[in-house]
Each structure stands twice: as structure tokens, then as C-alpha cells.
Amino acid sequence: MGDILAHESELLGLVKEKDLLAAFDSGDQKVFFDLWEGHIPSSIRAGDSLAQKLEFYLHIHFAIYLLKHSTGRPDKEELDERISYFKTYLETKGAALSQTTEFLPFYALPFVPNPMVHPSFKELFQDPWTPELKLKLEKFLALIFKASNTPKLLTLYKENGQSNKEVLQQLHQQLVEAERRSMTYLKRYNKIQVDYHNLIGVTAELVDSLEATVSGKMITPEYLQSVCVRLFSNQMRQSLARSVDFTRPGTASTMLRASLAPVKLKDVPLLPSLDYEKLKKDLIWGSDRLKAFLLQALRWRLTTSHPGEQRETVLQAYISNDLLDCHSHSQRSVLQLLHSESEVVRQYAARLVNAFASLAEGRRYLAQSTKVLRMLEERLKEEDKDVITRENVLGALQKFSLRLSHPRRPLQTAMIQDGLIFWLIDVLEEPDSLSDYTLEYSVALLMNLCLRSTGKNMCAKVAGLVLKVLSDLLGHENREIQPYVNGALYSILSIPSIREEARAMGMEDILCCFIKEGNAEMIRQIEFIIKQLHSEELLDGVLESDDDEDEDDEEDHDTMEADLDKDELIQPQLGELSGEKLLTTEYLGIMTNTGKVRRKGAAGVQWGGPEPLCRPITPGGHRTGYPV
């Protein structure tokens, strides 16, 4: 019975192959592709790269068939129909090969008036091209229709089972991708919302200034009206132009500020409570893959939660349950994951710590002792395999240095005493080998440490090297680092010995070069640096005075960066749980969430005032993240 089935299968394959080759020779496009789609399994057509490439060239064969085989001018209507069919294929199934260099030129074929004379398509019209393509087709069909002793019913059963598995895998992958996009869109929404409020606030101030000039007749009310109306959306323009008296002082800015009034939205629900005892146990004793998924899910809870009560409640639950074991004296703790042998676990532990450090309350939690600092410094100096791990460790350290006031002053002092300034200078000697994130956060951390008198004294020990590195960075193509470079230079030039070294190396000439090329803000900052360079003040006797200043009036601010969730290393397999689903399925707890947390807001720190020296800052605000 099996031999009979095999013989029949072989005969059927020969018939199909003969019909396909006949349609190929006669140029019957419709018949060929009906047979092709009917007899070539969809799994092969969609998943086999050789089949996809062959099908692409077959479409070209039928598209130009009339041009090669017509004895005169080909029938225009039929030719247009074939070209249109080919164009549709390129926009649908053929789109998958659009990024392949081999096929890229053929995407222009439908738009070329006479492809026969075009140099890109000359090969298609040479004699060997069609026979070679037919030979490839024959080999492919012989392989596909090769006789098999397997009964047809069994083959169908296997193909159907495999197809179902593939569909499930595709759906699972689509779900993971949809969740990732959802996170990205949420961050973009929050960023746009903040930008909108900032824009309206600035616009209101601009309108105030413009209105102040009306009484002095420096600008006409009509012009002011046209400027203000342009600031509003198209839907509001006509009604505003008719109903608002822009000649009355304060009208426009009042309306703009009124638009900032908070809109009453639906309450954002708190996230479910978790069993932190079980979580921490699995973080310490679970498999590396489970640890990575848990660290990722806990981070996502912070980065994707809604700014405000929802995020604050998540963070307070983490802190009250000592999620990172900052207060633990056990030899095995969650923080020890920073030194895991698994590269993924190390990276995801660093990402979570950086997420904590991105929030003011998180920084206070991490800064209660130097334990976390020491572990981060060790990881920073030892990590040479994974760039993202080092980025996140560096980001967390930089955020520790934001304020000069208690409680993180001891951490800044410890960083300086541990020689972190020397490590930063060493790394910044080759800035082109660094990622943008590493470069920006390294320079920002260096500047923040240089604002401390102990940091300036440390720089004085290697004054020539520090000045060379900073002067080189002034001309770096990444313009985001300029404020930090300028701030560091201005700060260390308060030390007489460093000023002398700077004058000896011709620092003023270097700075003047950048005055010619810089924008107004850059020029202003460099002018202050030059002024500091010429200063003759002797500050050595009072260098420690800034360590006693009380700056508790300077509020912390939150900056949750999009970089925290970039380039995820792990993706769940079919049946694996991840993210919030993992937490709420396996680690659901009973009322571990705390109540509403009240916290003062804070505006972003900007350059301003009579000097270019600003308080400690972080690059996070401009790096596609969003201030909260």
C-alpha cells in the first residue's frame, strides 16, 4: 500500500512540475502563480529564504515577459497589467526583501519607462538570464515534489500541527511586541505632556513681555494679536480673534495660564500588592533566567507606572519592604546580583538600581549608607564586558551626586576619596570610544564632583591632565556635554595652581576659538570661564567653606529616562510569563502598598544667573526621558 501511495505521489509531483514549467515557458502569469500558491506549501513560501528569492525573480520574469518575447511593440494594456501585478507584489509579499541589496534596484523597475535600455536591468534582457532562472525553478520543484513514502494524511497532520505551533509563536511574539510598544507610547505621552506645559508657560511669559510694550507703542496691538492667535490651535483661532480684546493688558497670558489648569482625569488605579518575601527569596535563590525576568518586571513597574500617586505607591512599597536589601547584613542579598556571574542578571540589577536612583525618594533610600555606593564603584571599575551595565551603574552614581546637601554629601565625599575623579578623567581621555550616555553622564558626574572643594583639590593633583581632557571635550561633536564641561572648568579654575597651569598651556587661546563658533549661551559661559582664568583671588585658605553651606532649600527632582528600558536582552518564550503578568500571577501579595505620598515638586535646573556655575545636575532631562 505504501509503495502505491509513493508511486502516485511521484506521478502527481511530475504533473505539477510539468504544468508549472509549461506556464513559465508560455508566460502565463495567472496560471503559474495559481499553481505555485496551490502546490507549494505556505510554510515554505513564507519561511524559506531560497523560495522567497526564487519567487521574486519569477515575478520579474513574468513582468518583463512581453518585452523579451514580443515581435514588435508589446500590447500596452497587457504590459501595464503585468507591471501593475508586479508592483502590487512589491508592496505586499515582496516588501520583505526591500532591505536586501541584491533586490533593491528592482523596486524601481515598475517606474522605469524603458527598462530594456536601463543599465540597472541590462542583465535581465541578456540571453542566459531566463534559462538560468528556469534551471533554478526545476531544481526547486524537484526538491519540493520529491517522492515520499509518507502517507498524505500523515503529512497533512504534521503540517497542520507545525502550522498551529508557528501561529502560537507568532501571536506570542506579537503580544510581547505590543507590550513593548505600549511602554514606549506611555513614555512619549508623558514627555509630550510635560513639553506642552513647559511651552505654554514660556509662551505666557513671552506674551506678558509683549503686552508690556503695548503702552510704550513699541509694538502694535494688531501685531500682538496675530502673534498670540498663532500660538493657539487651529480650532480656537477664529473664536479667539473675534472674542478676545488683546489690547487689554494681561488678557492673553491669563488665558494661556488658564489652559494649564489641571484637567480632572479618571483616577489612576494603584497596582496590585506583591509578596515581597517570596520575590526576594526567588531573586536570591532562583535560576538566572527567573532572576532576570523578575528584575525586569520590577523595573517596568517603576518606569511604566503613571507619574504621581501610582508610581509613588510602587516606590514606597519597594522601599518599605527593603526590596534591594540595603539594610540587610546577610552575605546573600538582592544587591549582590550586581556581581552575578550572569551578564544578563548583572545588567538588569544595574538597570533597577538606576531606576531607583532616577527618583528622589529612591535616591534617599539608596543613600542611607555607603554600602550601595561601594558596590556600584566596584561594578563600574570591573565591568568591561557589558556597555549597558556600565552605563546604568554610571547613571546611578551620577544621580547620587545631584545635591550637595545632606544626606548624599557623604556619598560625594566617598566618591572623591575613592578616586572616582581619576577614573572619570582616564575614561574621558578617549571620548570617541564611549556611548553618548556614558560620555554625558561621565562629564556630568565629573562636574558635580568638581563643585566640591575636595573635588577641586583632587583635580589640582593632576591639573595638566584634567585641563587637557576638558579642553579637548570642548570641541566634541556631542554638544549636550558643553554645559558640564564649562561648569567643571569654571569650578576648578578657582584654584590658583590650576589657573597657573591653564595659563601656561594657553587655555585662553583655546577658549577664544570656541567663542567664534559657539552660540550665544556657549559664548556667555566661555566669557565667564575666561574671567575666572584672569582672576587673582587666593581661595586656598577657604576652600572647605562650601562644604558647610546648607542647601536644603534646593528640592530634588525626578527624571525617569527612556534609556532604562532600551535594548532588552531577554524575551519570553512561548508559555513564559514576564512583566506585570509574572508579578501578579506568581507573587500577588496582601496590602503591601502604602498610602498616598506627598512630595514637593521641583522645576528642572537650568543655566542662568550671573555665573555659568550651576548646582549639580543630571543629563537625564534631555535624553528622551521626561521630568516628573
Side-chain angles (χ1 to χ4, degrees):
M1 183 67 179
D3 292 339
I4 295 173
L5 288 172
H7 183 64
E8 290 180 354
S9 176
E10 185 177 359
L11 289 175
L12 185 59
L14 290 172
V15 171
K16 294 173 185 176
E17 182 177 350
K18 182 180 177 182
D19 291 343
L20 279 162
L21 291 174
F24 177 89
D25 290 333
S26 64
D28 197 330
Q29 181 173 258
K30 185 178 185 310
V31 171
F32 181 89
F33 285 111
D34 284 345
L35 292 169
W36 178 268
E37 294 179 4
H39 298 313
I40 308 299
S42 60
S43 58
I44 293 178
R45 286 187 281 115
D48 185 83
S49 60
L50 291 176
Q52 289 177 331
K53 292 180 178 181
L54 178 61
E55 184 174 354
F56 193 99
Y57 283 119
L58 288 170
H59 275 278
I60 294 177
H61 165 73
F62 288 106
I64 63 174
Y65 185 85
L66 292 181
L67 295 174
K68 296 183 70 172
H69 295 85
S70 297
T71 55
R73 292 180 63 86
D75 183 85
K76 187 177 185 306
E77 185 176 346
E78 186 179 353
L79 179 61
D80 289 345
E81 183 181 341
R82 287 173 178 267
I83 295 296
S84 177
Y85 189 86
F86 179 54
K87 185 179 178 183
T88 303
Y89 165 76
L90 293 178
E91 294 170 351
T92 52
K93 296 178 183 178
L97 297 172
S98 61
Q99 302 302 315
T100 307
T101 308
E102 178 183 353
F103 298 102
L104 193 57
F106 300 119
Y107 284 81
L109 181 60
F111 306 99
V112 175
N114 189 1
M116 297 180 70
V117 298
H118 196 283
S120 298
F121 311 122
K122 182 171 67 173
E123 182 186 358
L124 302 178
F125 296 94
Q126 292 178 354
D127 293 337
W129 189 82
T130 302
E132 288 174 1
L133 178 61
K134 184 177 179 180
L135 183 60
K136 291 179 182 177
L137 176 61
E138 288 173 345
K139 289 181 179 179
F140 177 78
L141 294 178
L143 186 64
I144 293 297
F145 297 137
K146 186 178 180 181
S148 172
N149 293 326
T150 307
K152 187 65 175 177
L153 286 175
L154 181 58
T155 303
L156 289 172
Y157 170 77
K158 288 182 177 179
E159 286 182 354
N160 188 49
Q162 181 66 24
S163 177
N164 287 339
K165 185 178 179 181
E166 291 174 356
V167 169
L168 282 174
Q169 288 177 336
Q170 288 175 359
L171 289 174
H172 181 70
Q173 191 60 38
Q174 289 173 8
L175 177 62
V176 172
E177 185 65 20
E179 290 177 347
R180 187 191 65 77
R181 286 199 304 268
S182 175
M183 290 167 50
T184 303
Y185 293 148
L186 176 62
K187 291 177 184 177
R188 288 179 183 174
Y189 163 75
N190 288 322
K191 174 72 166 58
I192 291 171
Q193 191 177 45
V194 170
D195 288 346
Y196 166 75
H197 282 77
N198 290 340
L199 177 62
I200 293 296
V202 171
T203 305
E205 294 178 9
L206 173 62
V207 172
D208 280 338
S209 301
L210 291 173
E211 287 177 340
T213 64
V214 174
S215 58
K217 298 182 180 180
M218 295 176 65
I219 188 170
T220 65
E222 291 77 17
Y223 175 77
L224 179 59
Q225 177 176 352
S226 67
V227 172
C228 293
V229 170
R230 283 199 301 273
L231 293 172
F232 290 90
S233 61
N234 293 329
Q235 293 85 344
M236 298 174 62
R237 287 183 182 175
Q238 293 183 353
S239 59
L240 280 171
R242 288 195 302 266
S243 60
V244 180
D245 179 10
F246 284 87
T247 62
R248 197 175 79 191
T251 301
S253 60
T254 301
M255 290 188 62
L256 282 165
R257 290 195 172 92
S259 70
L260 286 173
V263 181
K264 187 171 179 61
L265 301 173
K266 290 194 296 185
D267 291 336
V268 178
L270 298 182
L271 295 173
S273 300
L274 302 176
D275 183 346
Y276 286 93
E277 186 176 344
K278 183 182 178 184
L279 260 171
K280 291 164 71 173
K281 181 180 177 182
D282 284 352
L283 280 169
I284 294 173
W285 300 104
S287 67
D288 285 341
R289 187 166 179 81
L290 176 59
K291 291 175 185 177
F293 275 121
L294 287 175
L295 291 167
Q296 182 189 61
L298 291 165
R299 166 168 47 90
W300 283 353
R301 261 211 168 198
L302 277 180
T303 59
T304 64
S305 56
H306 198 281
E309 185 179 6
Q310 189 186 68
R311 176 173 290 161
E312 289 169 356
T313 305
V314 170
L315 182 60
Q316 285 302 315
Y318 286 2
I319 293 173
S320 61
N321 289 279
D322 193 17
L323 177 63
L324 298 181
D325 285 333
C326 290
H327 304 299
S328 171
H329 299 289
S330 173
Q331 288 186 342
R332 296 184 71 95
S333 66
V334 175
L335 271 177
Q336 292 291 336
L337 297 178
L338 284 168
H339 298 304
S340 169
E341 292 182 4
S342 166
E343 184 177 316
V344 180
V345 173
R346 286 202 311 272
Q347 182 188 123
Y348 277 35
R351 287 182 189 239
L352 181 58
V353 172
N354 195 13
F356 267 86
S358 299
L359 303 172
E361 290 297 326
R363 289 193 287 276
R364 293 189 184 97
Y365 166 63
L366 296 171
Q368 292 177 19
S369 74
T370 58
K371 174 182 176 181
V372 180
L373 173 66
R374 302 298 186 200
M375 295 189 71
L376 290 173
E377 286 181 337
E378 289 174 17
R379 183 76 268 138
L380 182 68
K381 294 172 182 178
E382 292 174 6
E383 187 61 57
D384 55 0
K385 292 182 179 180
D386 188 78
V387 173
I388 295 181
T389 301
R390 191 167 75 165
E391 285 182 355
N392 281 276
V393 170
L394 183 62
L397 288 171
Q398 195 279 332
K399 290 158 192 169
F400 282 172
S401 69
L402 285 179
R403 281 174 63 193
L404 292 175
S405 55
H406 186 77
R408 284 196 300 284
R409 174 164 294 175
L411 298 186
Q412 295 175 336
T413 302
M415 285 188 237
I416 295 168
Q417 291 175 347
D418 292 346
L420 197 55
I421 286 179
F422 299 141
W423 184 90
L424 290 168
I425 292 298
D426 183 58
V427 166
L428 291 171
E429 281 192 89
E430 297 182 4
D432 293 336
S433 65
L434 306 177
S435 67
D436 285 343
Y437 190 102
T438 301
L439 176 61
E440 291 169 26
Y441 275 78
S442 295
V443 181
L445 175 56
L446 177 63
M447 186 201 77
N448 290 353
L449 296 181
C450 286
L451 298 183
R452 292 289 302 277
S453 57
T454 50
K456 299 172 191 176
N457 285 330
M458 199 66 73
C459 289
K461 295 179 180 180
V462 286
L465 180 59
V466 173
L467 290 169
K468 180 183 182 302
V469 168
L470 290 176
S471 61
D472 289 345
L473 290 172
L474 281 171
H476 196 274
E477 61 183 8
N478 186 337
R479 312 316 291 168
E480 302 292 352
I481 67 174
Q482 282 185 349
Y484 318 127
V485 176
N486 292 344
L489 269 175
Y490 183 88
S491 181
I492 65 175
L493 285 174
S494 64
I495 306 291
S497 60
I498 297 180
R499 285 203 302 270
E500 290 177 12
E501 184 74 28
R503 291 168 188 163
M505 65 180 287
M507 177 62 73
E508 184 174 0
D509 293 337
I510 297 172
L511 292 169
C512 288
C513 292
F514 293 104
I515 285 183
K516 299 174 184 177
E517 302 174 0
N519 56 35
E521 181 62 21
M522 177 72 167
I523 292 171
R524 186 183 72 84
Q525 293 170 16
I526 290 179
E527 287 174 345
F528 276 109
I529 296 172
I530 293 176
K531 184 178 178 182
Q532 180 81 308
L533 183 63
H534 289 299
S535 172
E536 297 297 336
E537 295 181 17
L538 299 176
L539 301 179
D540 297 87
V542 291
L543 280 179
E544 297 301 323
S545 63
D546 65 338
D547 290 348
D548 298 323
E549 293 177 4
D550 184 12
E551 298 186 12
D552 286 329
D553 58 327
E554 178 68 21
E555 285 294 333
D556 258 338
H557 61 282
D558 296 344
T559 304
M560 190 66 78
E561 309 143 332
D563 297 86
L564 289 166
D565 295 327
K566 73 176 183 179
D567 301 333
E568 296 287 356
L569 285 179
I570 56 172
Q571 296 292 343
Q573 301 299 320
L574 191 62
E576 270 188 318
L577 296 176
S578 67
E580 192 65 19
K581 194 172 294 183
L582 170 62
L583 296 179
T584 54
T585 302
E586 301 292 338
Y587 301 92
L588 201 59
I590 303 175
M591 294 303 293
T592 55
N593 285 335
T594 58
K596 180 181 286 190
V597 181
R598 291 190 177 183
R599 181 167 56 84
K600 294 180 182 179
V605 182
Q606 297 180 350
W607 284 84
E611 294 182 343
L613 179 61
C614 62
R615 294 182 185 274
I617 53 177
T618 182
H622 67 73
R623 292 188 56 77
T624 66
Y626 43 88
V628 181

